[in-house]
Amino acid sequence: MINLSYSIGVPDKTRIIWADVEEIKAELDRFVKAKFTDRISVLVILGDYGTGKTHSLNYIRHSSQNLQKVKLKIIVFEHPFENFIVFLEKIEEFLPLEETCAIVKRSITKRKSQITKLFKKGYDEDIIDSVMVFEKAHDLVLKSMYPQMCSDLRTILARILTTESKEIFDLAKKWLRGVSLTPTQLRDLGVTGKISISNAPDISADYLRIYLSDGGCLLLLIDEFEDLGDIGDKPSLVSFRHYLDENLPRTKMVVTMTDDAFEGLRTGKKVFMRKSYVPLWSRFNTSKKLRLSNLNQENSKLFLTDYLTSLNRNLKNKIEIESNALQRIYRHTNGSPRLLSVIAEYLCSMSKFDGRLDDKTVSVVVDYLELKIRTEKASEAERVSPKI
């Protein structure tokens, strides 16, 4: 466990301001630059509200986009998914079925001789319809190429490759996104039933394996994990652990959550995680972890100065924070980078702000900050309240 008493400020999604946080930057950079291996690599970022978890996630996201000689797909869950089935919907959005089928077609082309032999072996025009023969051949080839693939996904891909029907293709996209289909539509696809919370991990992992089999790499970024499954839905937690056990190759995953949620995952006694699931907690606990916390008063001043300068270049070398003003700011923010950034943004919106923070200016800012905190707390209370 890495314990660091600093955090991160991000004025926008492309520029990072660091307030004496080279240690954190170094840890995040190490994760980004580490080679993709034959097993999934997981980083858990822990910290209270406003300590920079989401900003760290953004940093990893944008830094990874600059990686050289890596065919990388980045799937971002900026708003937590309600349950594991929604995970599939997001994956299909970022890795469309069209692209997946193109990869499969290229792979089959490479095995042209194999599929030709299967066609010749299975074809009997007197008793078997030729379309069914081609479908069976495709299914067998897919099974040899992706031996772990679940039968429903393999059947759907075989149907698409055989019929090249737009109707079948559209039904397949709906099925992958967890949409309920009629019994007739399910029969047309050749599958046994809809995606459920129990088979979603298998299907999503198998679907991603197709992309990975073509030399691709994956970066999965999941923010506010505590919202998974409407605050700790047990089947979703079980499914997520199952998904991690798939150990996809050339895959990195970053998960953020509060310390409270992390502990709640073990005990089930916290606000954000009312259902415990120790196997998932154990899996996260053995992963690499980075814990963020609030800034001390000195670093809060440095952070605020840097942030103001990043938002308004005209303030460079003009920012003066009086001692009493700094103490009041620290008392109201407790060194939270999130709240300090709110103050900086509000100050820069004031037309008369010239870079000087005195008691009078801070009084106005504090009133705004308290209103902002009350509004966000009300929104948060509504978000975590039990669903009736």
Side-chain angles (χ1 to χ4, degrees):
M1 166 68 75
I2 301 162
N3 262 302
L4 300 170
S5 57
Y6 310 106
S7 194
I8 305 165
V10 185
D12 57 52
K13 287 191 174 183
T14 58
R15 187 168 185 277
I16 306 292
I17 295 297
W18 301 98
D20 194 19
V21 288
E22 288 305 312
E23 303 99 324
I24 287 180
K25 183 177 183 298
E27 287 300 324
L28 297 179
D29 285 341
R30 267 194 285 273
F31 180 80
V32 169
K33 294 175 182 177
K35 289 183 178 180
F36 287 85
T37 66
D38 59 354
R39 295 173 64 85
I40 189 169
S41 176
V42 181
L43 172 65
V44 181
I45 301 178
L46 301 170
D48 291 334
Y49 169 81
T51 52
K53 299 185 300 297
T54 300
H55 292 161
S56 298
L57 208 68
N58 282 335
Y59 180 76
I60 290 174
R61 175 185 181 180
H62 290 282
S63 297
S64 297
Q65 289 172 343
N66 298 322
L67 290 173
Q68 301 295 317
K69 299 179 180 179
V70 176
K71 177 186 171 187
L72 182 65
K73 282 279 186 183
I74 302 176
I75 303 180
V76 185
F77 297 84
E78 291 178 333
H79 302 289
F81 43 95
E82 295 172 4
N83 56 53
F84 203 88
I85 295 176
V86 181
F87 195 60
L88 259 172
E89 179 181 354
K90 195 77 170 180
I91 288 172
E92 202 283 326
E93 176 187 332
F94 279 84
L95 186 59
L97 185 56
E98 294 89 340
E99 185 176 342
T100 302
C101 284
I103 292 172
V104 173
K105 283 182 179 180
R106 287 199 299 272
S107 298
I108 286 179
T109 300
K110 292 177 182 177
R111 299 194 177 197
K112 190 173 181 180
S113 59
Q114 180 184 6
I115 197 169
T116 301
K117 289 177 182 177
L118 287 167
F119 285 163
K120 290 178 178 178
K121 183 179 179 180
Y123 189 78
D124 186 337
E125 59 184 348
D126 294 329
I127 58 174
I128 302 176
D129 182 83
S130 61
V131 172
M132 292 305 294
V133 172
F134 276 80
E135 187 173 322
K136 182 64 175 175
H138 277 123
D139 186 76
L140 289 171
V141 173
L142 287 169
K143 190 172 184 179
S144 70
M145 289 180 352
Y146 311 106
Q148 293 177 304
M149 185 181 290
C150 64
S151 59
D152 279 347
L153 182 57
R154 195 172 66 242
T155 298
I156 284 176
L157 289 172
R159 291 283 287 156
I160 292 172
L161 293 168
T162 303
T163 64
E164 295 189 356
S165 161
K166 185 179 184 304
E167 182 181 355
I168 294 295
F169 192 88
D170 290 341
L171 286 177
K173 287 181 78 74
K174 288 181 179 178
W175 184 81
L176 275 170
R177 288 172 171 258
V179 176
S180 294
L181 301 179
T182 66
T184 301
Q185 289 173 326
L186 289 172
R187 280 198 302 273
D188 289 343
L189 277 179
V191 297
T192 55
K194 67 177 184 178
I195 293 176
S196 67
I197 198 73
S198 60
N199 66 2
D202 291 325
I203 294 168
S204 58
D206 290 341
Y207 189 76
L208 288 174
R209 275 196 187 93
I210 296 172
Y211 170 73
L212 296 168
S213 70
D214 197 44
C217 296
L218 283 168
L219 175 60
L220 306 176
L221 303 176
I222 303 171
D223 202 12
E224 298 184 13
F225 186 80
E226 55 264 28
D227 281 353
L228 174 67
D230 291 329
I231 316 168
D233 172 52
K234 186 68 169 281
S236 286
L237 297 178
V238 173
S239 293
F240 200 86
R241 171 61 203 256
H242 182 177
Y243 180 82
L244 289 174
D245 286 344
E246 292 285 341
N247 262 320
L248 290 174
R250 295 188 301 284
T251 301
K252 294 180 184 180
M253 178 184 291
V254 184
V255 176
T256 76
M257 71 177 86
T258 62
D259 290 289
D260 223 29
F262 186 65
E263 180 62 18
L265 194 57
R266 184 175 67 87
T267 65
K269 296 179 180 179
K270 300 294 182 178
V271 173
F272 287 105
M273 281 290 181
R274 295 174 186 160
K275 298 285 181 66
S276 65
Y277 188 54
V278 176
L280 181 56
W281 176 85
S282 298
R283 181 67 172 81
F284 282 151
N285 196 44
T286 57
S287 302
K288 190 170 186 63
K289 296 187 290 297
L290 177 64
R291 178 167 277 119
L292 306 177
S293 57
N294 289 341
L295 306 172
N296 59 31
Q297 186 168 306
E298 180 183 351
N299 283 322
S300 294
K301 180 180 179 180
L302 176 58
F303 179 95
L304 189 56
T305 302
D306 285 348
Y307 209 119
L308 285 166
T309 303
S310 76
L311 295 174
N312 186 345
R313 295 295 184 187
N314 294 325
L315 295 176
K316 190 172 183 179
N317 301 322
K318 294 182 180 179
I319 297 171
E320 296 180 21
I321 306 177
E322 293 184 357
S323 179
N324 288 342
L326 177 61
Q327 289 177 17
R328 288 186 65 188
I329 289 172
Y330 190 74
R331 193 162 58 246
H332 281 86
T333 63
N334 194 33
S336 162
R338 163 74 178 127
L339 297 181
L340 289 167
S341 67
V342 168
I343 289 176
E345 288 160 8
Y346 183 66
L347 285 169
C348 286
S349 72
M350 298 168 60
S351 57
K352 295 182 178 180
F353 179 62
D354 60 0
R356 181 179 176 80
L357 274 77
D358 52 21
D359 270 343
K360 184 178 179 181
T361 305
V362 170
S363 294
V364 176
V365 170
V366 164
D367 288 342
Y368 170 78
L369 184 64
E370 289 181 343
L371 175 62
K372 179 86 171 175
I373 291 172
R374 283 198 300 272
T375 303
E376 291 188 353
K377 280 185 175 179
S379 175
E380 185 72 2
E382 182 179 349
R383 181 174 70 83
V384 302
S385 60
K387 304 293 188 293
I388 299 176

